[in-house]
Amino acid sequence: MKKKATAAKTEDLFIFDAHCDTASYLADKPWPFRRSPAHIDLAKATKGGLKAQVFAIWVDPLFAPHRALKRGLQVLRALEEKAFDPGLAVKVTTVAEMDKAVRMGRLAAWMFLEGGHIIENSLEVLEVFRTLGVRGMTLTHGKNTDWADSSTDKPRTRGLNALGRRIVAYMERFGMAIDISHVSDATARAVLQAVDVPVMASHSNARKVCSVPRNLPDDLIRAIGEHRGFIGVNFHPAFIARSVYDQIEDYFNLHESEIKARSRGREDDPAFLSDLEWEYFQRSVAGNDTVVLNELVDHVVHIASIGGIDCVGLGSDFDGIASTPSDLRSAADYPALAAGLRKRGFREGEIRGICGLNLKNFMRRVEKRGRKG
Ligand SMILES: [Zn+2]
C-alpha cells in the first residue's frame, strides 16, 4: 500500500494523447469503434488507461484543392456516427467538458483538423468547423497550402502570407489550438511571431535525435517551450530512428515506376491514390521494424531538456502510422510507456505531466486566451 503513494498506477494517470488518425479508419473501414483492428478502439483505450484523445480529421492533400472539404466532413461524420452517437466516446470542446467526461468514466474526444487545406482558404469554413466542435488545426499536411509551407514540400510562402496570418489570428482569438506539426521551420517561426497564444506541435519529435524534416530543430523546441506551448512525441518509427526513415524512402524509390503504373488512368481519383500510397507505406516497413519504446523516450528526454519538462507529452499518431515501436503497439500498451519513463528516471509528477497533464494545461491556456477575444 505504501508504494501507491509514490508510484502511480497507470489507471490513475490522466493519459491524454494529442494526435491519432483513427477517424480515417472509421470513415473507410466497416470497423466499429468498440473493438477493431485499429491502434485505438474503446477496448484498447480502456485497457491502456487512455482517458482523452485528440482525433484528427485528416484529409490527404491529394483531395485538395476542391474535394478536401467534403472528405473532411465525411471523416467528421464517421466519428459522430461510430463513436459519439452510440455513446462510446464523448465529444468535448472545453477542458471542463473533458474533465466531466473523464469523471463519468467516459473517453473524452477532441476533434482537430489535419491540415489547413480542408478549409479551402475560407475563414467561414473554419468557423463552421468550430461550431461543429473542432478545437484545433494542423496548418498543413505533407503539401503546402496556399498560405503556409509544409516541411515536406518545396518552400513557397516561406512563412505565412496575409491569409495565413488571418487564419492563425482567428484561431488565437477563438480558442483553437494552432498546430505546427508538418509545417516548415520557416512557417513555424512565422506562426510563433504572429500570435501571442502558445502553439503546439501535436505529433513531432526532435531532429537532433532523428534528423528528418518532420522533426523539430532545437530552436523551435526552445521557442515552443518558452511560449508555454506543447510538443507531443510521435510513435512512428521513421521519426524515432533515421534508419527506418531511410528504409521507407528506399522502398518508395525502388517501387516508384510500379506505383506510377498502378496509378495510370486513376490520376483523378484521390481516394484510390491515397489508398495506394498507404498500401506501399505499410509494405515499406514490414518485417524490418525494430524500434523500441526506449528510443521514443530518447525524444522525450531531449525535448524536455531543451523545451522544459512542462512542454512535452504524447502525440502518438496511432492509426496514421504503418508501424509502431515493437513494445508500444496500440493504446492498450500505455502502461508500458509509463513504465519506460519511470525506468529512465522521470519522477511521478513528471510522468503525469508527460502522459497528459501538460497537454491539458496547454489546452486550458489556449481556451482562456480564446475567451478573451
Ligand atoms: Zn500527421
Side-chain angles (χ1 to χ4, degrees):
M1 277 291 114
K2 215 176 162 192
K3 229 175 162 189
K4 207 178 163 194
T6 50
K9 288 185 292 184
T10 306
E11 56 262 39
D12 299 331
L13 287 174
F14 179 78
I15 299 178
F16 180 13
D17 172 33
H19 191 90
C20 77
D21 285 305
T22 313
S24 301
Y25 275 143
L26 295 179
D28 295 337
K29 306 265 187 197
W31 300 348
F33 184 64
R34 190 181 294 282
R35 193 181 291 275
S36 81
H39 294 144
I40 299 177
D41 59 22
L42 187 61
K44 295 185 189 88
T46 307
K47 186 167 180 226
L50 177 66
K51 302 291 198 301
Q53 176 69 51
V54 176
F55 287 87
I57 294 166
W58 173 68
V59 174
D60 194 316
L62 288 163
F63 286 82
H66 300 307
R67 284 178 280 198
L69 171 56
K70 178 179 169 186
R71 171 71 184 163
L73 288 169
Q74 286 169 333
V75 175
L76 188 151
R77 178 64 201 137
L79 267 179
E80 297 272 2
E81 195 181 339
K82 289 187 169 175
F84 307 152
D85 290 353
L88 302 177
V90 178
K91 175 165 84 177
V92 300
T93 61
T94 63
V95 170
E97 287 175 9
M98 170 171 70
D99 283 346
K100 188 176 164 206
V102 172
R103 267 200 311 276
M104 289 163 61
R106 314 282 296 283
L107 176 66
W110 297 80
M111 294 191 296
F112 280 21
L113 298 180
E114 183 186 29
H117 54 286
I118 300 171
I119 63 169
E120 299 193 4
N121 295 341
S122 165
L123 274 177
E124 291 83 0
V125 171
L126 181 57
E127 168 71 27
V128 171
F129 275 113
R130 195 177 71 86
T131 58
L132 292 173
V134 169
R135 286 296 178 270
M137 179 168 75
T138 320
L139 302 183
T140 74
H141 187 251
K143 297 280 175 213
N144 297 337
T145 61
D146 290 333
W147 42 274
D149 284 353
S150 169
S151 60
T152 46
D153 203 348
K154 286 192 199 78
R156 190 171 57 192
T157 308
R158 295 176 195 275
L160 284 172
N161 64 14
L163 175 60
R165 286 193 295 275
R166 276 210 302 282
I167 288 167
V168 295
Y170 174 92
M171 294 175 76
E172 173 171 28
R173 179 163 178 215
F174 291 100
M176 295 181 82
I178 300 168
D179 183 0
I180 56 117
S181 279
H182 285 285
V183 309
S184 72
D185 295 352
T187 293
R189 289 181 192 117
V191 172
L192 284 159
Q193 291 249 308
V195 296
D196 291 325
V197 76
V199 305
M200 77 190 312
S202 67
H203 57 307
S204 293
N205 291 343
R207 203 177 294 167
K208 193 72 172 271
V209 182
C210 170
S211 178
V212 301
R214 263 287 278 112
N215 287 344
L216 300 165
D218 282 355
D219 72 297
L220 279 174
I221 294 173
R222 193 172 296 115
I224 292 169
E226 278 171 7
H227 288 82
R228 304 189 74 207
F230 173 82
I231 299 166
V233 289
N234 189 314
F235 299 179
H236 187 21
F239 301 149
I240 297 173
R242 173 76 205 201
S243 57
V244 181
Y245 184 86
D246 291 339
Q247 174 194 321
I248 293 172
E249 283 238 295
D250 291 348
Y251 190 89
F252 271 87
N253 288 337
L254 198 66
H255 293 82
E256 199 182 349
S257 51
E258 187 183 314
I259 296 169
K260 254 194 195 135
R262 290 184 64 187
S263 310
R264 207 157 291 140
R266 306 294 294 267
E267 289 82 358
D268 198 35
D269 186 347
F272 172 82
L273 296 174
S274 187
D275 286 350
L276 187 66
E277 196 172 309
W278 181 246
E279 182 192 320
Y280 280 86
F281 191 33
Q282 280 180 305
R283 283 207 224 159
S284 68
V285 288
N288 288 312
D289 200 347
T290 53
V291 170
V292 293
L293 76 80
N294 195 40
E295 293 168 87
L296 175 69
V297 179
D298 291 342
H299 288 268
V300 177
V301 169
H302 184 78
I303 293 169
S305 76
I306 302 291
I309 187 73
D310 296 335
C311 84
V312 62
L314 309 177
S316 70
D317 214 356
F318 271 145
D319 293 317
I321 55 183
S323 62
T324 65
S326 55
D327 43 359
L328 183 57
R329 291 190 178 281
S330 78
D333 291 336
Y334 277 123
L337 180 59
L341 291 167
R342 214 163 273 140
K343 216 189 287 171
R344 290 287 288 269
F346 284 104
R347 292 195 297 267
E348 287 309 311
E350 294 171 336
I351 293 169
R352 285 175 187 278
I354 294 162
C355 287
L357 291 183
N358 290 345
L359 177 55
K360 176 176 166 174
N361 291 335
F362 166 78
M363 289 306 292
R364 192 181 280 132
R365 289 194 282 275
V366 169
E367 188 179 302
K368 266 192 190 147
R369 196 65 71 96
R371 273 200 223 113
K372 276 191 214 158

